[in-house]
Amino acid sequence: MTSFGQSTDRFSSRPWRDPEDDTLRLECGVFGVYGVRDAAAVTALGLHALQHRGQEACGIAAFDGQRFHTERHMGHVGDAFTGNDLVERLPGGMAIGHTRYSTAGGSGIRNVQPMFADLETGGVAIAHNGNLTNFLTLRERLVQEGAIFQSTSDSEVILHLIARSRKARIVDRFIDAVGQIEGGYAIVAITNKKMIGLRDPLGIRPLVLGDLDGQPILASETCALDMIGARFVRDVEHGEMVVISETGVKSLRPFQTVAARPCVFEYVYFARPDSVVNGRSVYDVRKRMGQRLAIETGVEADVVVPVPDSGVPAAIGFARQSGLPFDLGIIRNHYVGRTFIQPTQGVRELGVRMKHSPNRAVLEGKRVILIDDSIVRGTTSLKIVRMVREAGAKEVHLRSASPPIKWPDFYGIDMPEREQLLAATKSLEEMARFLEVDSLGFLSVDGLYQALEAGPRDPAHPQFTDHYFTGDYPTRLTDREIAEGRNDQAEKQLSLLVSA
């Protein structure tokens, strides 16, 4: 899923966002099963576990041995793929699924995955997590050559590249296609006879291989394997393509070998805490991040309070390291819909209380250390700080379990442009004044690497993709470089069609 305007019908260097929205979002999650009875039902369960990776749309494509069957819906998996007739609607023993996040203003059904194409070699359905950083360059070339696009998704570019390959075998067509794309991605696909999984050369986006009663499973995270009772086999390695057929699982290496650089934000925020990503328990890493944060930014206080839910593991680690009590000073409401209308500024200011409510019994008269996973624009953090003070907190000390976010992402995370990132435009003291806190602290980059048990960061060859903190992007940003070279500040229209 592209950060370059995929889910909108007009291109800008970053998608449109509500200025009050201070939430980082990962673009999607993928899942696939092969040789499993009622594959669509199993896929729906897997997508439930990956709902946190994309909550605005979902889709499943299944193959019954003769025909492909697809359904794509706006909304949550539990609303879209229910009913006793699911396996009748989507029959077959092979299926892939996708959960998607799209930006406001253009979430249309035509961009929802999996996407399908009829080729002369048969059908192919594809689901994709991540972002192609040369999407616009490839799309422009394909359109000039006569390609007709039905969406504004970078995933469709991959289908076109597969279709235009002159290779005879479908696996070779895939290799031909992915040799032309750049960025961070994990792909699952099904053809008439095979399921294919692919991870980008640096392993930026995650993908794992599992086993369900002897049959292979592909998923973005291990929590999806747990959901269906599958056994974790291994991570699909960086730059690896796994080809699954009736003869078993075959591993191919279509790229030049380079060192892995997985996305560190999977540990900071995106992955579910019960997942294991690249061999590391996300929950354990987040607790260690809290411990390092306490060592680096400790302050005299009475209670450690997480900003739920993502700040909880780090707050546990911080409290244990500092010897301070951990308590739930903020209660999260899990039943807030996205459609709530906030017509006035006054009502918008109250909107944070729909998601988070202060626990006055914990906060009143206390010196409070608030632990959050990260700080982006700071707009939500400011509202939470004010809410905690209004509940009677004597002091508020805000701590971020990640380093300051100073640079935008182009590999599948919807993140504001640099001038909208609080840490990119203000000093630590200025940020503290803006957030109205008594003190502010961030985990250091070295502290994050220590929490990951990866040793000190190697500046020449970083062990992780961490450009949001360091500005060290792991790949070329081809589309952005070309746009800057042209001094192209105008919006580029990708489609004349506006979806209702």
Side-chain angles (χ1 to χ4, degrees):
M1 313 275 291
T2 181
S3 295
F4 290 101
Q6 168 183 330
S7 56
T8 62
D9 286 328
R10 294 184 64 81
F11 165 75
S12 62
S13 59
R14 305 298 302 160
W16 180 90
R17 285 183 64 130
D18 182 345
E20 297 294 317
D21 185 358
D22 198 30
T23 304
L24 292 175
R25 294 188 176 93
L26 191 63
E27 303 288 333
C28 41
V30 295
F31 187 88
V33 299
Y34 180 91
V36 174
R37 183 179 178 182
D38 299 337
V42 175
T43 299
L45 286 173
L47 293 181
H48 271 287
L50 299 174
Q51 187 74 83
H52 61 288
R53 298 184 74 89
Q55 300 179 34
E56 292 196 7
C58 53
I60 294 176
F63 182 65
D64 65 5
Q66 292 185 319
R67 292 187 300 174
F68 288 83
H69 307 262
T70 68
E71 275 192 28
R72 301 184 297 165
H73 300 273
M74 305 305 298
H76 287 187
V77 176
D79 298 323
F81 295 109
T82 58
N84 296 329
D85 64 339
L86 175 59
V87 295
E88 297 174 6
R89 290 161 19 212
L90 296 167
M94 181 165 53
I96 59 172
H98 190 266
T99 60
R100 175 177 185 260
Y101 162 70
S102 61
T103 56
S107 53
I109 195 69
R110 63 179 176 155
N111 283 333
V112 180
Q113 299 181 48
M115 293 188 170
F116 175 80
D118 282 307
L119 309 179
E120 69 270 25
T121 55
V124 58
I126 186 170
H128 164 221
N129 167 30
N131 176 54
L132 306 187
T133 54
N134 63 339
F135 156 57
L136 291 174
T137 304
L138 290 172
R139 192 181 195 275
E140 184 175 310
R141 188 195 83 196
L142 289 165
V143 169
Q144 290 174 350
E145 293 174 355
I148 298 173
F149 280 80
Q150 299 297 319
S151 75
T152 53
S153 165
D154 57 353
S155 306
E156 191 177 3
V157 164
I158 301 172
L159 275 180
H160 278 282
L161 293 174
I162 294 169
R164 286 170 175 257
S165 172
R166 296 299 89 199
K167 304 292 185 181
R169 300 190 317 136
I170 188 66
V171 170
D172 293 329
R173 287 182 170 221
F174 262 90
I175 293 172
D176 195 12
V178 299
Q180 301 175 64
I181 65 178
E182 300 170 2
Y185 51 86
I187 297 170
V188 296
I190 52 174
T191 69
N192 302 52
K193 296 180 180 179
K194 296 177 173 65
M195 182 166 73
I196 297 172
L198 176 69
R199 200 170 173 194
D200 67 79
L202 295 174
I204 297 174
R205 297 270 70 89
L207 189 65
V208 298
L209 177 67
D211 180 281
L212 179 63
D213 299 326
Q215 300 302 317
I217 308 292
L218 293 170
S220 290
E221 293 183 36
T222 60
C223 64
L225 304 180
D226 297 335
M227 174 68 80
I228 64 170
R231 176 178 62 88
F232 170 73
V233 176
R234 63 178 179 86
D235 288 289
V236 175
E237 296 183 14
H238 62 288
E240 181 184 14
M241 174 188 284
V242 290
V243 180
I244 299 165
S245 67
E246 60 183 9
T247 61
V249 180
K250 182 179 180 181
S251 174
L252 301 176
R253 293 286 185 171
F255 305 108
Q256 181 179 353
T257 301
V258 294
R261 286 187 65 178
C263 173
V264 79
F265 239 105
E266 293 286 346
Y267 302 99
V268 171
Y269 181 78
F270 289 119
R272 245 174 56 167
D274 55 332
S275 283
V276 176
V277 177
N278 302 305
R280 296 175 175 85
S281 162
V282 174
Y283 183 71
D284 289 345
V285 169
R286 289 177 185 169
K287 284 196 298 182
R288 290 196 295 268
M289 289 162 62
Q291 290 173 321
R292 291 300 314 174
L293 184 63
I295 293 170
E296 295 179 359
T297 69
V299 64
E300 290 188 6
D302 300 310
V303 64
V304 177
V305 171
V307 177
D309 288 324
S310 55
V312 170
I316 292 172
F318 192 105
R320 288 180 180 174
Q321 181 66 38
S322 63
L324 294 171
F326 166 94
D327 224 330
L328 297 180
I330 301 172
I331 308 301
R332 184 184 172 193
N333 178 6
H334 290 265
Y335 303 99
V336 178
R338 287 178 51 82
T339 57
F340 179 72
I341 299 172
Q342 300 172 337
T344 67
Q345 180 64 29
V347 176
R348 284 197 295 270
E349 288 296 325
L350 296 175
V352 69
R353 296 177 186 266
M354 293 184 61
K355 294 182 179 179
H356 299 105
S357 299
N359 187 352
R360 186 175 292 271
V362 170
L363 301 171
E364 192 167 18
K366 302 288 182 60
R367 297 171 297 175
V368 177
I369 299 177
L370 275 181
I371 308 293
D372 208 348
D373 57 86
S374 57
I375 298 173
V376 187
R377 300 170 188 261
T379 51
T380 298
S381 299
L382 175 59
K383 293 175 185 177
I384 290 174
V385 168
R386 287 175 174 173
M387 181 182 70
V388 169
R389 286 200 187 277
E390 289 168 8
K394 186 165 61 175
E395 296 177 9
V396 181
H397 303 274
L398 181 59
R399 297 293 182 266
S400 167
S402 77
I405 300 174
K406 297 182 178 182
W407 303 86
D409 180 78
F410 301 97
Y411 303 99
I413 303 174
D414 180 20
M415 191 180 288
E417 282 282 6
R418 189 159 194 257
E419 60 268 17
Q420 297 173 311
L421 296 170
L422 188 68
T425 58
K426 298 181 184 298
S427 68
L428 186 67
E429 294 75 18
E430 289 170 336
M431 286 190 281
R433 286 196 296 270
F434 173 84
L435 295 169
E436 299 177 5
V437 293
D438 294 280
S439 72
L440 175 65
F442 292 85
L443 182 64
S444 68
V445 173
D446 287 338
L448 176 58
Y449 271 70
Q450 289 174 5
L452 288 159
E453 297 182 331
R457 183 181 189 271
D458 181 351
H461 304 284
Q463 301 94 310
F464 292 91
T465 288
D466 59 9
H467 52 275
Y468 3 80
F469 313 130
T470 64
D472 185 356
Y473 288 90
T475 74
R476 283 190 63 195
L477 303 176
T478 300
D479 288 338
R480 202 161 177 82
E481 291 170 6
I482 291 175
E484 290 174 354
R486 295 173 177 171
N487 196 24
D488 185 6
Q489 301 298 320
E491 289 186 337
K492 182 169 183 177
Q493 184 168 294
L494 292 185
S495 176
L496 298 172
L497 176 66
V498 177
S499 300

